[in-house]
Amino acid sequence: MSAIILFMAVIAVIVGWWLSQQRLMAKPWLEEGSIDDFPGTGAMTLPAAKIGLGVFLAVAGSLFALFTSAYSMRMNMVDWRAMPVPGLLWFNTGVLVLSSIALQRAYVAARRDNMNGVIVGLCAGGASAVTFLVGQLLAWQQLRAAGYFVASNPANSFFYMITAAHGLHLMGGLVALGRTTAKVWRGAEMPQVRLSVELCTIYWHFLLLVWLVLLGLLTGWTDDFVDICRRLLT
């Protein structure tokens, strides 16, 4: 449960920070100018799509936090047999980092009205993400060839379930990324694609962060961190 509590604490901090940016002490009856923003303060209302993405990321984050918590509790039982982590996962991690960097470059290019940079960033990010998914499937194949099947042990089941859930989320992101790329190829103006590029970038960074946490969990690197959190919370 410590992972859940820690995750909720992080969400509470993020929500608190976001609320602090929304001028809770403002007097709207004294405001002048456009109804869509707060003149003179730099604070603006968030697009509905960005709020929707934030809600979705909170739900997805809760799901992975549950996975993490269940994994941490289940691994202490006697029938748990830790499985080796394929070395290919490290290569896949590097590819996912490159994918996230490519999306960040696309977002920066969109803010600078550089359409060529946006196209390059989106294509590089998408290609890297597909490479990551192919690498994950190859890692599964290596484990099955070595005799580590889904039902052989709870540790195996958790590994396949967690990596599959992360892969499915990435596949969903590829759909959105593909639609954004197609919109760019059809000659859409920059203001029409800037928000989509930003949302894809946020989602990619989120999936990279989730994967790094999962990788640390699968390799045992987060054990000490979880122990520290458990002591602090108990």
Side-chain angles (χ1 to χ4, degrees):
M1 294 300 293
S2 58
I4 296 292
I5 296 174
L6 179 62
F7 174 77
M8 296 305 296
V10 172
I11 292 295
V13 170
I14 294 175
V15 171
W17 171 83
W18 181 78
L19 290 175
S20 68
Q21 304 299 311
Q22 305 307 308
R23 298 187 65 214
L24 298 179
M25 302 303 293
K27 300 178 178 61
W29 55 90
L30 298 179
E31 299 290 354
E32 297 180 357
S34 173
I35 193 172
D36 294 331
D37 44 48
F38 302 99
T41 66
M44 299 181 63
T45 56
L46 289 175
K50 190 177 289 186
I51 295 175
L53 178 63
V55 173
F56 176 77
L57 295 186
V59 174
S62 300
L63 174 66
F64 284 106
L66 285 173
F67 285 157
T68 303
S69 181
Y71 185 95
S72 301
M73 290 188 291
R74 189 64 179 82
M75 67 186 299
N76 294 322
M77 297 187 180
V78 293
D79 61 341
W80 184 272
R81 299 289 182 272
M83 62 188 298
V85 176
L88 187 57
L89 291 190
W90 298 107
F91 172 78
N92 296 343
T93 302
V95 172
L96 190 60
V97 171
L98 292 178
S99 182
S100 189
I101 292 174
L103 265 294
Q104 180 64 30
R105 292 180 66 87
Y107 171 61
V108 173
R111 296 189 61 180
R112 296 175 177 173
D113 294 330
N114 180 4
M115 187 61 79
N116 290 332
V118 172
I119 295 175
V120 172
L122 293 178
C123 292
S128 301
V130 172
T131 303
F132 172 82
L133 292 174
V134 173
Q136 294 293 79
L137 292 176
L138 292 176
W140 280 13
Q141 188 175 14
Q142 289 180 359
L143 290 172
R144 287 197 300 269
Y148 295 97
F149 300 104
V150 176
S152 301
N153 188 268
N156 302 7
S157 302
F158 266 98
F159 178 87
Y160 285 107
M161 179 182 67
I162 289 174
T163 53
H166 181 268
L168 288 174
H169 279 77
L170 188 58
M171 290 174 65
L174 281 173
V175 173
L177 184 64
R179 293 182 60 180
T180 303
T181 306
K183 192 185 301 182
V184 172
W185 277 108
R186 287 197 297 268
E189 298 295 329
M190 187 62 77
Q192 298 175 313
V193 299
R194 186 177 290 120
L195 178 60
S196 298
V197 174
E198 182 181 1
L199 296 180
C200 289
T201 303
I202 294 172
Y203 188 63
W204 246 248
H205 293 342
F206 168 77
L207 288 181
L208 174 61
L209 177 62
V210 168
W211 174 248
L212 292 177
V213 172
L214 295 178
L215 183 65
L217 183 73
L218 296 173
T219 56
W221 284 13
T222 58
D223 290 351
D224 294 337
F225 177 72
V226 171
D227 288 340
I228 293 173
C229 292
R230 184 181 294 117
R231 292 173 185 173
L232 291 175
L233 295 172
T234 56

